[in-house]
Structure formats: C-alpha cells, structure tokens
Amino acid sequence: MTENIQPTQGELEILQILWKKGPCTVREVNELLNATQDKSIGYTTTLKIMQIMFEKNLLSRNDSQRTHVYSAEVRESNIQSALLGRFLDAAYKGSASKLAMHLLGNHKTTPDELAEIKALIDKLEKNKPA
Amino acid sequence: MTENIQPTQGELEILQILWKKGPCTVREVNELLNATQDKSIGYTTTLKIMQIMFEKNLLSRNDSQRTHVYSAEVRESNIQSALLGRFLDAAYKGSASKLAMHLLGNHKTTPDELAEIKALIDKLEKNKPA
DNA sequence: TATTGTATACGAAACACTTCGTATTTAAGC
DNA sequence: GCTTAAATACGAAGTGTTTCGTATACAATA
C-alpha cells in the first residue's frame, strides 16, 4: 500500500508537522508552517491541502468537534522509505552505494552517526556472510 | 551555481541518457526514452523538453548541422548531490544518518558496496578525530 | 524545380498542485 | 433568536510541467 503513495512537497511539509507534533487542527498546522518557513501561507490554503490529503487517506480527522483535528494516517518511516526508493531510481539509477558516498561525503555527519552507520554495516555483513 | 538547479522528473530522465550515452540527437534520446520506459513519448514532446533544457542551460547543442546534437551541460554528480541535499531536507529533515539507515536497511547492497562504504567511513573518522 | 521525408519552432491544451476569495455552517454570547 | 467570530466547503484562478498538433524550414532526389 504505502509504496504507491507519493505525497507532494506541500503535503510532505504538513506530514512532517503532524509526525512531530501529533494530531493538530488546521490552524495549528498553518501557524507552524508559517513559523517554520520564510513565505507565508493563507489559512484556507493549508485547509484545502489537508482536505485533499484527507481524501487521499494521507490524513484522518476527528470531526466530532466543530474544529476538526487531523492526524497522519501514514508512518514517517514508511513514507521516507518509499520516497527514498523513488529518489534512488530517479537520481541514482538505483545505485545505493553512490548515493551513500555522496551522503557521507557532502553532508557533515557527526562521529556518533558515523559509528552508528558502521555498526549497521557490521550487522548486515554478519547476517549475510560471503 | 549548480546548487540551485532543479531539473524536473522528465528533465532528469533525459539527463540520465545524455550522461550515459554522451551527445545525442533528439531522435536518439526519444528512442531511448521509449525503449527504456513503459509509456511512449512523442518526438515533439522530447524535442520541446530538450529545447527548454537548452534555454535553462541544462543542455548545450551543436546546431551546425540540420540535426542538432545536444550535450549535458551539468555534471552528473553535481546534480545528484544537489538533489540529494534537497531530498534530505524535505523527507528526512536533514538527518543523514536516518536516511543512511533506510538506504542500507531496505535496499540490497552488495558486500563490495558495504565494504566500500565502510572504508569511506573509516577515512572520514581519521580525518576528523574526536 | 517539385516532391518527399525529416528536423525544428511555435503555440495551445491537458494535467496536477497551490493559492485564495467567497459562501456557508456552526457555536457561543448577548 | 440575533449577532458575531471562527471554522469548513467550494470554486476558480495562478503556476509549472508535459504533451502534442501543426506550421515551417531544409536537404536530398527524382
């Protein structure tokens, strides 16, 4: 199911907020969007996008109150993995190692993170012995 | 310069072909696009996109002959890194290690690739001693 | 030079996402 | 019950990309 989901840029920004904050009203999301970003987005714009996301089942909502409360219906790591798979194909033609090289090479990764990644590689190597 | 370049999906597919094959005519690119993919794309569609890419300086062209020959004006690894940076922000909020986890965890990476990545990490750790 | 095949140029339609104005609904307070 | 403030619903315009029909240019050749 999750693999075919393709949230747009705007939708992803809203999902990020809901993943971090938990269930929110449209106004809360809109205010956080405007607080985080440089540009300012109208309330009805945020509302519209969230309504569309609701129709796509990216969000659920509690409308027992006048003010609806929206929740993410998709898991952060699922969406990330799906997007990553697509990105890997589109930009790297599937070469995960090339992507990893750029990732580690260009972006300052903390020593802790490097150690963590190395530990994961060790684990993978043990699980799949040559 | 390169950091601000944002090729679209369609443009990226054309760049992939030119990166792999070197300079090509519109017809060659169009045939390769249709050979690679499931969907079929009209010749003038490919032409139009490549003309737009030319205007954006993503491509250069040799029009000394009636049949123009196009070349990529941007380097593969530059574009990949730029796209990766954006993707990392949009989908992972900048957490490179989380992305790396998904990358190594979900996509089968060969033992050789794993060793290569581990070697890179070792090098990074030596260059930046705690 | 007229014909034919192929190339480029141009413009408009199709499509998807974003944006917001305005209408409508709703709940609370007077 | 009326008024007001705030929420949702709706519709349409704005924006960027893709798609392609059609016009035009060009070169080879009959």
Side-chain angles (χ1 to χ4, degrees):
Chain A
M1 284 298 139
T2 347
E3 303 86 35
N4 296 327
I5 293 176
Q6 176 87 280
T8 66
Q9 178 67 31
E11 289 173 346
L12 195 53
E13 283 167 16
I14 289 172
L15 282 174
Q16 299 278 15
I17 288 174
L18 292 173
W19 284 329
K20 184 172 180 193
K21 299 283 180 178
C24 287
T25 65
V26 174
R27 182 152 305 281
E28 285 166 340
V29 169
N30 182 246
E31 276 164 9
L32 287 168
L33 277 180
N34 285 320
T36 312
Q37 301 176 165
D38 38 347
K39 62 177 176 180
S40 95
I41 293 173
Y43 172 84
T44 54
T45 302
T46 304
L47 170 66
K48 180 74 163 192
I49 295 181
M50 289 176 74
Q51 285 172 337
I52 290 170
M53 292 171 78
F54 173 67
E55 281 162 21
K56 289 184 187 173
N57 292 312
L58 286 173
L59 305 184
S60 61
R61 73 181 174 194
N62 178 337
D63 55 0
S64 63
Q65 302 300 121
R66 181 160 100 89
T67 303
H68 299 353
V69 176
Y70 288 80
S71 313
E73 265 297 290
V74 290
R75 291 195 167 282
E76 181 171 18
S77 68
N78 285 348
I79 293 294
Q80 286 171 334
S81 291
L83 290 174
L84 177 56
R86 255 189 286 278
F87 177 74
L88 183 61
D89 275 350
Y92 286 86
K93 287 187 154 283
S95 167
S97 68
K98 210 169 174 192
L99 193 160
M101 294 296 165
H102 282 168
L103 186 67
L104 299 175
N106 296 348
H107 304 278
K108 37 270 160 210
T109 320
T110 68
D112 282 358
E113 288 177 321
L114 286 181
E116 205 181 349
I117 295 167
K118 200 157 71 168
L120 175 62
I121 294 177
D122 285 340
K123 210 173 80 181
L124 289 173
E125 283 176 336
K126 271 174 197 137
N127 286 353
K128 294 181 184 177
Chain B
M1 285 297 137
T2 346
E3 303 85 35
N4 296 327
I5 294 176
Q6 177 86 278
T8 66
Q9 179 67 33
E11 289 173 345
L12 195 54
E13 283 167 15
I14 289 172
L15 282 174
Q16 300 278 15
I17 288 174
L18 292 173
W19 283 330
K20 184 173 179 191
K21 298 284 181 180
C24 287
T25 65
V26 174
R27 182 152 304 283
E28 284 166 341
V29 169
N30 182 245
E31 275 164 10
L32 286 168
L33 277 179
N34 285 321
T36 312
Q37 300 176 166
D38 38 346
K39 62 177 175 178
S40 96
I41 293 173
Y43 172 84
T44 55
T45 300
T46 304
L47 171 66
K48 180 74 165 191
I49 294 181
M50 289 176 74
Q51 285 172 336
I52 291 171
M53 292 171 79
F54 173 68
E55 283 161 20
K56 289 184 188 174
N57 291 314
L58 286 173
L59 304 184
S60 61
R61 74 181 173 193
N62 179 337
D63 55 1
S64 62
Q65 302 300 121
R66 184 160 98 89
T67 303
H68 300 175
V69 177
Y70 288 81
S71 313
E73 265 297 291
V74 290
R75 291 196 167 283
E76 182 172 19
S77 67
N78 285 349
I79 293 294
Q80 286 171 334
S81 291
L83 290 174
L84 176 56
R86 255 189 286 278
F87 176 73
L88 182 60
D89 275 350
Y92 286 87
K93 285 188 154 282
S95 167
S97 68
K98 210 169 175 191
L99 193 160
M101 294 297 165
H102 282 168
L103 187 66
L104 299 175
N106 297 348
H107 306 277
K108 37 270 159 211
T109 319
T110 66
D112 281 358
E113 288 177 321
L114 286 180
E116 207 182 348
I117 295 168
K118 199 157 69 168
L120 174 63
I121 293 177
D122 285 340
K123 210 173 77 180
L124 289 173
E125 284 176 336
K126 269 171 199 142
N127 285 353
K128 293 181 184 179

